[in-house]
Amino acid sequence: EQEVPGSSPGPIKSFTLADQKPNTVLLRLGFGRNGPKFQATAQEISFFTGEEENTQELKSEQRGNRQMIMYKSKKCYESVRFNITFY
C-alpha cells in the first residue's frame, strides 16, 4: 500500500493498479472506512501510434475497505488511461 499525494475527497490511504487476469486491469482506491465512490472513463492507448480505443464508463464497487473498478481490455494496447470523478 502506498500513500498518494494530491487533491481528492480525503487522503488516499492506498491504491492498487493490478493486471491480475489476462486483458483485465483493476484499479482500487482505499480511503479507509466509508470512502467515496468514484466513476472512471477508461480508454486504451497505443504507445506507438497514440491511437485511442475501447472507451468504457465504469462505476466503482465496494470491496473490503476499498472502491474498485475492473476494466476489460479489447485491444491489448500498452496503456490504459483512467479519468476519475468522485461522487
Side-chain angles (χ1 to χ4, degrees):
E1 296 192 354
Q2 300 176 349
E3 290 293 322
V4 180
S7 60
S8 65
I12 297 175
K13 296 187 190 255
S14 66
F15 82 98
T16 307
L17 186 59
D19 194 359
Q20 294 183 338
K21 298 177 182 177
N23 303 334
T24 302
V25 177
L26 302 177
L27 174 63
R28 295 183 207 129
L29 298 179
F31 294 92
R33 202 172 243 194
N34 298 321
K37 294 181 179 182
F38 65 95
Q39 61 187 27
T41 302
Q43 187 174 53
E44 291 181 75
I45 302 170
S46 171
F47 178 76
F48 298 104
T49 66
E51 185 179 0
E52 301 171 346
E53 283 197 34
N54 193 22
T55 301
Q56 296 179 25
E57 297 291 330
L58 306 165
K59 289 190 176 186
S60 66
E61 298 176 4
Q62 184 77 34
R63 297 284 172 102
N65 287 336
R66 298 178 183 180
Q67 292 287 321
M68 182 191 86
I69 59 172
M70 184 183 329
Y71 176 81
K72 295 192 178 190
S73 172
K74 292 184 179 176
K75 286 285 194 170
C76 300
Y77 281 164
E78 299 79 24
S79 299
V80 176
R81 174 176 50 211
F82 293 99
N83 293 322
I84 299 171
T85 305
F86 296 96
Y87 62 94

